[in-house]
Amino acid sequence: SGQDRQSACCFAFQPGKMSVFSAVQPVVNLISSQPLANVRTLMELGYEPAPETAATKFLFMGAYARPAALAYIKSLYNNGGVLNLFRGVIPTIAHTLLQVYIRPSADPSFPLQSYPTNLVFASIAVFVSHPLKVIATRCIASAVESAPQNFVEITASIIRDNGFLGFFQGVGADLLHTAIDLTGFTVIFAGLRYFGFGKMVIESLVIPEMQQSAASEADEARIETIRKTWPNNINTMVAAMLSAYIHHPFEVITVMSTISGTSLALAQSPFQPATTSITGLWTFLRSLDTRFGTRGLMRGKSLLFRRYKTPQPSFLLPTAN
């Protein structure tokens, strides 16, 4: 998913150096991806729109299946129409743009040297923008209830029930998730770069084919440009994919922490344990997982393939359809 969908922005926010298109494009990207982001959040919170069912076993895929993204989208639509698919989009946009504004652009040439600076700015960005994340997550969690709430109603309920500190519910888990995410990515990226993984892929799979068809100086210049830029791009992509498996459990814990102790249905048993500390949530999620399963710590990692070898009852709300 990437850290807070910053990859969806596809730009570096630089005040005073932005065209109209560069300012609008990330907002359009965030809005268009909001329905799937809501699906992922609901999966991470443990919501299921329908019970787990027996399915035809195929190759390595298990014989028990849980609803995929389409079933979630249908459930959200049936519960509140099209607007329900975009529940929480306003605080999500504000949260993501604020994070991108505060965090510096990472220097892929020296990932280890820039790590301390990146970690400091990332932590500041998480702390400052966390209230918006709390509002967005609670909006999404309310989308499956009989009376979904908008961000104004959620904000008012936080102030009424918890005061100012309510906006920082789960900030410790969020900071831990960010540190693990950035550390995992930096270490993996540095390792791939040290062993020349990206360069090896380019030189063995891409460059030979291009050299055979090169017919002009422009083609040769293009090959040199690819040699300089593509290795880092490949290393970045692979590092992001691999580090996601390290930090995703802490993303799930963060999402659950932001609604802990509220009156939302997904904050009650059996969706959350009595002890909602980071260790308490880890233990609870771990108890839901079979080996290599995605019912607990890794839930929400895949939106399409949710197959299991052994059955386990789903947690359902009365409003699930």
Side-chain angles (χ1 to χ4, degrees):
S1 60
Q3 176 67 28
D4 300 308
R5 296 161 68 200
Q6 288 180 26
S7 59
C9 287
C10 301
F11 82 123
F13 188 82
Q14 299 179 1
K17 300 181 180 181
M18 296 173 60
S19 66
V20 174
F21 176 76
S22 66
V24 172
Q25 181 190 11
V27 176
V28 172
N29 290 341
L30 287 168
I31 293 174
S32 62
S33 64
Q34 186 67 23
L36 289 180
N38 286 2
V39 168
R40 183 182 299 280
T41 298
L42 290 173
M43 285 184 179
E44 291 172 345
L45 290 172
Y47 172 73
E48 298 289 343
E52 183 173 298
T53 58
T56 303
K57 189 172 183 179
F58 179 72
L59 298 178
F60 60 89
M61 300 176 70
Y64 299 92
R66 290 195 174 185
L70 185 59
Y72 279 79
I73 290 175
K74 180 181 177 182
S75 176
L76 288 171
Y77 177 80
N78 290 341
N79 196 50
V82 174
L83 290 180
N84 212 31
L85 299 175
F86 296 90
R87 187 75 52 186
V89 68
I90 294 177
T92 296
I93 290 173
H95 171 262
T96 306
L97 296 185
L98 182 59
Q99 285 242 330
V100 174
Y101 177 83
I102 296 174
R103 295 178 70 164
S105 299
D107 181 1
S109 300
F110 306 97
L112 292 179
Q113 289 89 330
S114 61
Y115 170 75
T117 301
N118 288 340
L119 183 59
V120 169
F121 276 93
S123 298
I124 294 172
V126 166
F127 187 83
V128 172
S129 64
H130 189 76
L132 293 166
K133 183 169 188 171
V134 171
I135 296 171
T137 305
R138 295 188 184 187
C139 284
I140 297 167
S142 77
V144 297
E145 300 193 348
S146 56
Q149 302 177 63
N150 59 43
F151 75 96
V152 176
E153 294 169 325
I154 290 291
T155 302
S157 68
I158 293 173
I159 296 173
R160 181 183 65 249
D161 299 337
N162 308 108
F164 179 74
L165 292 179
F167 291 106
F168 292 91
Q169 178 76 31
V171 69
D174 204 1
L175 288 168
L176 177 62
H177 168 231
T178 299
I180 292 173
D181 180 10
L182 185 59
T183 302
F185 173 83
T186 302
V187 171
I188 294 173
F189 180 91
L192 292 172
R193 187 170 179 270
Y194 178 80
F195 290 104
F197 176 78
K199 183 177 180 180
M200 178 185 67
V201 172
I202 294 299
E203 294 294 341
S204 59
L205 299 179
V206 178
I207 298 300
E209 293 292 332
M210 296 189 66
Q211 286 177 332
Q212 289 181 4
S213 59
S216 64
E217 292 184 1
D219 291 335
E220 293 294 339
R222 184 164 177 264
I223 291 174
E224 288 305 311
T225 300
I226 289 174
R227 273 199 170 111
K228 293 178 181 178
T229 59
W230 281 30
N232 266 344
N233 294 339
I234 291 175
N235 290 338
T236 299
M237 180 180 66
V238 174
M241 291 173 58
L242 294 178
S243 64
Y245 287 93
I246 299 173
H247 74 77
H248 187 80
F250 299 93
E251 179 180 329
V252 176
I253 290 173
T254 298
V255 169
M256 294 179 68
S257 295
T258 58
I259 70 168
S260 295
T262 68
S263 59
L264 292 165
L266 295 181
Q268 312 304 316
S269 178
F271 298 96
Q272 292 219 20
T275 303
T276 56
S277 63
I278 294 175
T279 55
L281 289 172
W282 177 280
T283 302
F284 170 74
L285 291 166
R286 187 67 188 87
S287 70
L288 301 176
D289 263 329
T290 55
R291 189 182 182 188
F292 304 118
T294 55
R295 292 186 179 104
L297 291 169
M298 297 301 292
R299 65 190 185 189
K301 184 69 177 66
S302 174
L303 302 184
L304 299 178
F305 301 104
R306 306 182 71 208
R307 302 288 289 269
Y308 311 94
K309 293 184 178 180
T310 57
Q312 188 176 97
S314 305
F315 300 145
L316 301 173
L317 289 176
T319 54
N321 44 56

